[in-house]
Amino acid sequence: MKFPGSVLVSVVLFVAETAAALCLSGAYRAAGDRMWQWLTLLFALLPCALVQLSLVFIHRDVSRDRPLVLLLHLLQLGCVEVFYIYFHAGRVEEPYVSITKKRQMPKDGYSEEVEKEVGQAEGKLCTHRSAFSRASVIQAFLGSAPQLTLQLYICVLQQEITAARSVFMVLSLLSIVYGALRCNILAIKIKYDDYDISVKPAAYLCIFMWRSFEIATRVIVLVLFSSVLQIWTLPVVLVNFFVFFFYPWILFWQSKSPFPENIEKALSRVGTTIVLCLLTFLYAGINMFCWSAVQVKLNDPDLINKSQNWYRLTVYYMLRFIENAFLLLMWYIYKTDIYLYVCAPLLVLQLLIGYCMAILFMLVFYQFCHPCKKLFSSSITEGLLSCFKFLCFVCKPPKSTRVTDKAELKSSENADGSQSSNKTTDSQNGNRHQSVSSNA
């Protein structure tokens, strides 16, 4: 049975970040900074409530008639049951087991199907892992990401980085990166649910570096822009958020599919709508800071788009790079005296290079380290080449326009030639007339 390390990491990061938030809010209160205190508490406690609700919702069937388990989840101590199950597994013979069928990764074009017995204890552990993975994603992008942005913004305004604040920012960054990593793993397991997937350490390392560069540069860019153009911060954030929030709904309305009714039988139509809105809310929160590996598709029974769309990935990173460059340009133009001792051109160059490094690690992951790269219909390099060819085709003028332009050019050349020949003839006739008159 696999050790539940992901559950342990999730709980440790959650507890450490919450404790640091409480300590830092106490320091703000002692210093008289009430606004920073309440914002710190808001970003620390609001995601906690959402995490608990998601855990209780996912474990509703498991926790039925078991109030102790429900209480443990409300106190973020569900890991107690996880490790109890893990260390007591195998001591008592389980009353029943279930059989799952998984296909192995193709070798030489062939893929074998392997049957595996899953006991009751292992099934519960899988449910717990899934719940804590989703909880870490919610905590990362609805709590840690705004928290990191807020604390870095305070550091810039006060021109001071305290020890407590630096520790808190490091914990927040680790929480975001870990949430993004779990999001990648969840996407792989959902898309390739029929296969027995094993993620190698090199893949984890590539994802960690990819997400670290991407999220760190994105947060710094947002903080730099908001520190000089506060009035434009809210419009930029709202435009980013609502674009990604309404994008799945627009695709759903365009598909003219019926309203999904099979999410949960116990939910009414209003409850289903609320769940879908919360799902798209989380989707928008993730895409605010990084590429969400899981693409929401409301007209799909699983609510997840399982196809690998290189075009969408390419367009996202191109637009995000352009947006980051534009925000940095605005910061460079309107920077204030607090950046007097900062080499602005070097900082802009470092941030752009950092974002390019994130894209580089992403390409390395999809090209060499993805556990299911053998199942891709096309590699990432082929997908990018086709994307660039498509963009070049779109940018080029239509063939009919070029033919018309050539025809107009030829006609103009013919007209110019005829005009020049007429002028030559007229000049010759004039010379003849002059010679005749002189002879006369």
Side-chain angles (χ1 to χ4, degrees), residues 356-371:
C356 292
M357 290 294 295
I359 298 175
L360 176 62
F361 278 108
M362 178 199 68
L363 296 177
V364 171
F365 169 71
Y366 278 110
Q367 185 69 28
F368 302 106
C369 301
H370 197 285

Side-chain angles (χ1 to χ4, degrees), residues 429-439:
N429 292 333
N431 293 333
R432 291 176 183 176
H433 179 71
Q434 288 178 359
S435 61
V436 170
S437 59
S438 61
N439 290 332

